[in-house]
């Protein structure tokens, strides 16, 4: 069993590379952004709580996100392992995840950090916005807020995993295939 955190700024390619990881390693994927969008679409109470934050490119409060992840883990106790995509995004979330996994007798195996320069991120997000239908991808101001949230609140999560010696930096610029080759080599080395 291995649990992986796929880490990186918005537009780094986490969703795309998650799909490859699921296929290759048979892990259960949890994207907190996708889960929130599902709740928004279904008009649930949780979706209502998240809406204004998401619309403005801000992070949803920790307790809302952590509760949602806890429910997901509880509903998937038969999984071989998890890919956490877009979570944790604050140090409080990373600490809560360690506690949650330890209560399921498991832990994070490695944190893969996709490294992509800022100007490339903006280009990718605006391009994705043309087809994704995501309002937060279509407006440069919102993209800037999301990148700022990443730099202020999410980047410290990298140090959290570095302290645990679990960080593995991956160059996130190149072809999808070449980036995935680096990712799968890193995962395989942690599984050995
Ligand atoms: P994403 O699809 O990962 O880019 O997430 C879209 C939006 O969902 C983010 O801009 C946040 O508003 C919210 N969100 C997703 N994951 C988290 C998280 N782990 N913590 C806080 N907010 C989140």
């Amino acid at each position: 069993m291995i649990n992986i955190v796929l880490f990186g700024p918005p537009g780094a390619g986490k969703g795309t590379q998650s799909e490859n990881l699921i296929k290759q390693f048979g892990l259960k994927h949890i994207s907190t952004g996708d889960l929130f969008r599902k709740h928004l679409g279904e008009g649930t109470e949780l979706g209502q709580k998240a809406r204004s934050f998401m619309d403005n490119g801000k992070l949803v409060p920790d307790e809302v996100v952590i509760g949602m992840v806890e429910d997901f883990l509880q509903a998937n106790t038969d999984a071989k392992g998890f890919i956490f995509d877009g979570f944790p995004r604050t140090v409080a979330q990373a600490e809560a995840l360690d506690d949650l996994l330890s209560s399921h007798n498991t832990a994070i195996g490695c944190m893969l950090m996709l490294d992509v320069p800022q100007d490339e991120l903006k280009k990718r997000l605006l391009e994705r916005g043309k087809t994704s239908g995501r309002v937060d991808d279509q407006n440069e101001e919102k993209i800037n807020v999301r990148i700022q949230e990443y730099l202020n609140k999410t980047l410290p999560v990298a140090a959290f995993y570095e302290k645990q010696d679990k960080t593995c930096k991956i160059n996130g610029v190149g072809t999808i295939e070449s980036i995935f080759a680096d990712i799968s080599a890193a995962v395989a080395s942690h599984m050995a």
Side-chain angles (χ1 to χ4, degrees), residues 10 14 31-34 36-37 50 53-54 57-62 65 85-89 93 128 134 136 146:
K14 300 187 293 292
S31 154
T32 43
D34 285 351
F36 279 133
R37 279 183 289 277
F53 297 98
M54 293 180 75
K58 306 289 274 184
L59 291 186
V60 176
D62 286 335
V65 190
D85 166 3
F87 179 88
R89 261 168 146 115
Q93 291 179 20
R128 184 171 81 183
R134 282 180 57 172
D136 60 348
R146 284 160 70 203

Side-chain angles (χ1 to χ4, degrees), residues 97-113:
L97 180 60
D98 273 3
D99 290 347
L100 280 175
L101 290 177
S102 125
S103 73
H104 289 266
N105 297 315
T106 182
I108 292 297
C110 67
M111 183 272 229
L112 303 170
M113 186 169 179

